[in-house]
Every structure is written in structure tokens, then in C-alpha cells.
Amino acid sequence: MFNPIPLLFKKSRFWLIRNVSRLLTSGTHRVEFTDFWLGDQFCSLIFTLSNLYFVVCVYARGFENPWARCAAPKNFAIPLVLAALPLFVRFVQSVKRWFDSRLITHLINGGKYATGIVYYGLYYNWRYHGSARSGASFALYCLAGTIYSTYAASWDFLMDWSVLRLPPRTRYPLLRDNLLYSDRIPMYYFAIVTNVVIRFIWIFYIPAAGPNFVLRTFIVGMLEMLRRWQWNFYRLENEHLGNMDQYRVTREVPLPYAIDDEHLHEGDYADDGDEDDVPARSWHIRDWRNRAHGSTPAETDQD
């Protein structure tokens, strides 16, 4: 990763190092799109991050009976910190964006990540108490899971994807008017359904029968990464369309005057340095100003 030799995608490796470093210093600089987008990717790697402790523990204590030594519930404090780190980074970024813009939506988004931290804290607390299917720890875990999943899924749809807003008239129900993947309309509905299902995948931990807990956490982690992979397509689509609506990304800018296409030939304005088209441009600008003041070109020429 830190190899300075220009081999094995050096530019991409150093881009990742630079932007991960910005994540670790969140709150001290302006939050750009790359910052919160990359932070969201790490929020879907919570399973991987929380198991970094297990990997280090196994190598430190030996490979003999590793689950009993390193995966015991009493060792949940360090995995909890590692799991909550991406959520905490996104929370700090949301507060920073609110501080810079004073838009309340950033605080609402920050509340989502704070709720996620509480959820994972109650999840590990439930596991610490033996993963019983009854009792206060189990009830709090289910309550936090329901609130966090509903909170996050609602934000995914209404803010990150801009769907399910029920506009008065749209070509496709529950979707936006403008769609980049217009030849893959069924995939939008598939993404909506699967996003909800995977957001509530924590229910998979509850049944007593079935795969052991280690296998369940692996399945949940893999599904969450696939959900994020799917989420990226529609999040980037929504960001691009939002930039186009605000003319941050555009190939055509609306001009404050009309152009008479009948008297123009293709390529007249292709060269910005061509002085021959200056009279034509000046005439159109003067004509637009005259019409704005309620006078005609003839009346102006007579003055």
C-alpha cells in the first residue's frame, strides 16, 4: 500500500491513503463528496473492522482453540470501538457540514449515525449477556435495531436516492422523473426491496435454530457489502442529477438572450476568438436589452 515505486496502481493507492487520512481527521477540514462517500463505504465494512481484533488476538495467542480464547463475549469492548469508528466519523462529518452550512438536514443525518452507534452498543451488550431471546438486553437490542433500520432505510430512499417521494405525476411510480438507468427500470424496484430487507437483516440473529453465530455474522457482513455496492449506483446517480439541476455539472448554460437559429450557420460560435461574429452577438445582446426595456430595435436606432 505504501510502496513508492510506480507499480501496482501507485496513483490509486496514494489516493486511498490520502482520503482515508482525511477520514481520520474529520472535523478539522471542509467535508467534500469524496469524504462522506468513502466514509459510507467503511460503514458497510463494520463486520471486517470489528474482526480485526480477532485476527490480531489469534496471532498473539496462538491458533489452538481460537474461538474460545478470542471470541468470548467478555472481549467485546475492542470490537465495539472498531465497529463504531466509521459511524462516529460520519457523525463528526455531519456535524461539521451543519456547522459550515447551518442546514438542519445534516444534523438529521448525523442522528442516523448516532443511532447506529447506540444500536451496535446494545448488540454487543446483548451478546455479552449470552444472546438470550428474552430479557431487557434483548428487548433493547430489538428496539434499537428497529429504529436504526427504519431511520437508515428512510434516509436511503428519501435523501440518498430521491425515490418514494410520491410526486403528483411520474412516468414510473415511486421513482424520479429523471433516471440515468432508464433501460433498467425493474432494478430500481429490486434495489428498493432488497435495501429494506438487508437493512433489517439483524433479525437473522434472533432465531435459536440455524447456523452458528459466527456464520451468521459472516452472512450479514457479506449482504451488507452487497447492499452498499448496490446503493452506490443510485447514490451517485442522484448526486449527478442534483449537480445538473444546480448547474454544477452541465454542457449547456442558459443564456440571457435569444439566438435566431435561422440566421446562424452551424459552427458560427465554435471559435471564441473569431472576431467576425462579434457584431452578431452584439446585435442579439442589444436586441434582448431593448425588449427588456419595452422598445424595438428601430426605435433605438432613431434615438
Side-chain angles (χ1 to χ4, degrees):
M1 180 64 71
F2 297 94
N3 182 10
I5 300 176
L7 297 173
L8 300 175
F9 308 101
K10 176 187 175 183
K11 187 175 181 180
S12 299
R13 289 188 284 107
F14 278 71
W15 177 91
L16 181 61
I17 294 172
R18 182 174 63 254
N19 285 282
V20 170
S21 301
R22 286 177 59 87
L23 289 181
L24 297 177
T25 57
S26 296
T28 62
H29 51 77
R30 186 173 183 271
V31 182
E32 305 289 346
F33 175 79
T34 305
D35 299 323
F36 62 79
W37 179 82
L38 189 60
D40 284 331
Q41 309 309 306
F42 277 97
C43 286
S44 291
L45 296 176
I46 286 178
F47 169 78
T48 303
L49 295 174
S50 62
N51 278 278
L52 290 178
Y53 163 78
F54 177 78
V55 174
V56 175
C57 178
V58 169
Y59 275 93
R61 299 187 179 185
F63 288 85
E64 183 179 354
N65 197 12
W67 298 111
R69 292 184 176 184
C70 300
K74 63 181 180 180
N75 298 322
F76 79 94
I78 297 178
L80 172 59
V81 172
L82 294 173
L85 182 60
L87 297 169
F88 178 75
V89 169
R90 287 294 288 120
F91 173 76
V92 173
Q93 288 180 342
S94 299
V95 173
K96 175 61 176 176
R97 296 187 73 190
W98 170 80
F99 183 82
D100 292 340
S101 66
R102 299 299 176 179
L103 292 177
I104 193 64
T105 52
H106 297 309
L107 284 184
I108 299 174
N109 193 27
K112 179 186 67 176
Y113 296 106
T115 305
I117 295 174
V118 173
Y119 160 72
Y120 278 101
L122 293 174
Y123 162 72
Y124 280 102
N125 178 68
W126 173 57
R127 291 193 60 184
Y128 176 79
H129 287 89
S131 304
R133 272 68 182 178
S134 61
S137 61
F138 176 70
L140 290 174
Y141 164 65
C142 292
L143 177 62
T146 302
I147 295 174
Y148 176 56
S149 298
T150 304
Y151 200 158
S154 300
W155 191 271
D156 289 338
F157 297 142
L158 299 179
M159 303 301 295
D160 290 340
W161 294 359
S162 294
V163 297
L164 303 186
R165 291 192 175 187
L166 300 178
R169 292 182 181 179
T170 56
R171 183 177 180 184
Y172 302 104
L174 306 179
L175 303 183
R176 287 181 257 102
D177 287 327
N178 298 323
L179 301 172
L180 295 183
Y181 310 114
S182 56
D183 56 339
R184 296 289 186 272
I185 297 301
M187 294 304 299
Y188 285 89
Y189 297 103
F190 175 81
I192 290 173
V193 173
T194 55
N195 191 78
V196 172
V197 171
I198 299 177
R199 279 295 189 184
F200 282 87
I201 197 62
W202 56 269
I203 299 175
F204 185 49
Y205 292 132
I206 296 178
N212 61 59
F213 223 92
V214 175
L215 180 57
R216 294 190 196 194
T217 56
F218 175 76
I219 294 174
V220 170
M222 288 298 299
L223 289 176
E224 172 58 24
M225 286 191 289
L226 292 175
R227 187 198 67 81
R228 182 64 65 180
W229 173 76
Q230 171 184 264
W231 177 90
N232 284 333
F233 287 96
Y234 304 108
R235 177 65 181 89
L236 294 175
E237 176 197 40
N238 189 42
E239 182 72 14
H240 177 68
L241 292 175
N243 288 336
M244 291 180 62
D245 289 341
Q246 300 178 40
Y247 296 107
R248 291 195 292 256
V249 175
T250 183
R251 295 183 64 182
E252 297 180 0
V253 178
L255 302 178
Y257 52 85
I259 297 179
D260 189 0
D261 293 336
E262 296 180 359
H263 297 84
L264 295 177
H265 298 286
E266 183 178 359
D268 282 347
Y269 292 168
D271 187 0
D272 291 339
D274 189 358
E275 297 180 355
D276 294 338
D277 63 354
V278 173
R281 292 184 182 183
S282 302
W283 186 90
H284 281 288
I285 296 174
R286 186 171 65 250
D287 179 60
W288 170 73
R289 289 176 176 172
N290 292 336
R291 283 185 290 179
H293 291 286
S295 59
T296 62
E299 291 173 346
T300 305
D301 292 339
Q302 293 173 358
D303 290 342

